[in-house]
Amino acid sequence: MMATALLCSDLDTVEKSTFKELVLFLDTPLVLRAFGLEGEARCNAAVELCQLLRRLGGTLAIFSHTRDEIDRVLENCERMFDSPGSRGQIILEARRAGRSASDLALVRAGLADRLAALDIEVRPTPEYDPQFQIAEEVLQGILEDGETYGSASALRDDINSIRSIYALRKGLSPRLLEKSRAVLVTPNGR
């Protein structure tokens, strides 16, 4: 849905006000890429995506649990940086660029400033509301079938993000992107 909306040739004819009520919640990998931690090409693509979304008039945000996940990822990269077996994209890119674990610590310490520079708000993760909950066990099976998760916490965070979108929509089943209230923007195919 997002790819179609963003890649249409007549994007410039869409009025910004159409998306003013839409909050686009970015997933952790997109934010890390926009920070430039996975190389220049991925950074440019993520920043361009953010610019396109803002140009449409949407609000960019992350959930508070996503902010915590970003912090956890960066902390793990710092800790594992000098381990010869570490092969994560962030660590590999940092090594290639001549950076150190201290550079990752600085990124982590400046997380709020980096989010502000990209005009990404941090919004509270919605509370569980039985009326607007999804079958998380079913979703977990679907996600595990299609994606490789490096940790159980990453899987839990993805489930939390998806269920949070449903909670924010409060039963709304939109047919149009601009009427969705909340959308999760993620590079995860599943």
Side-chain angles (χ1 to χ4, degrees), residues 93-110:
E93 179 57 31
R95 288 176 182 161
R96 188 197 64 70
R99 296 188 190 113
S100 67
S102 298
D103 294 315
L104 294 177
L106 289 172
V107 171
R108 189 169 159 239

Side-chain angles (χ1 to χ4, degrees), residues 169-188:
R169 288 183 179 173
K170 298 191 181 307
L172 179 71
S173 296
R175 294 185 58 128
L176 299 171
L177 178 64
E178 58 270 21
K179 302 289 184 194
S180 298
R181 288 188 194 146
V183 173
L184 178 65
V185 183
T186 180
N188 294 345

Side-chain angles (χ1 to χ4, degrees), residues 56-176:
L56 289 171
T59 300
L60 298 181
I62 59 171
F63 291 112
S64 55
H65 72 267
T66 304
R67 181 202 52 225
D68 296 342
E69 182 182 18
I70 293 167
D71 185 71
R72 221 175 28 252
V73 167
L74 292 171
E75 181 180 29
N76 287 337
C77 289
E78 281 177 60
R79 192 176 66 254
M80 299 301 293
F81 192 85
D82 293 323
S83 175
S86 294
R87 298 275 183 242
Q89 185 65 35
I90 293 171
I91 292 174
L92 291 174
E93 179 57 31
R95 288 176 182 161
R96 188 197 64 70
R99 296 188 190 113
S100 67
S102 298
D103 294 315
L104 294 177
L106 289 172
V107 171
R108 189 169 159 239
L111 182 57
D113 292 336
R114 286 178 177 265
L115 290 169
L118 291 168
D119 198 23
I120 298 172
E121 300 175 10
V122 179
R123 300 259 179 116
T125 300
E127 297 291 325
Y128 279 82
D129 182 343
Q131 185 179 0
F132 302 114
Q133 284 314 121
I134 60 174
E136 291 185 20
E137 305 79 25
V138 174
L139 178 59
Q140 180 173 340
I142 292 168
L143 292 174
E144 287 177 326
D145 186 42
E147 296 288 333
T148 303
Y149 282 89
S151 69
S153 63
L155 175 60
R156 279 192 311 273
D157 286 327
D158 277 2
I159 291 169
N160 198 6
S161 292
I162 294 167
R163 77 110 206 132
S164 293
I165 295 297
Y166 278 88
L168 291 172
R169 288 183 179 173
K170 298 191 181 307
L172 179 71
S173 296
R175 294 185 58 128
L176 299 171

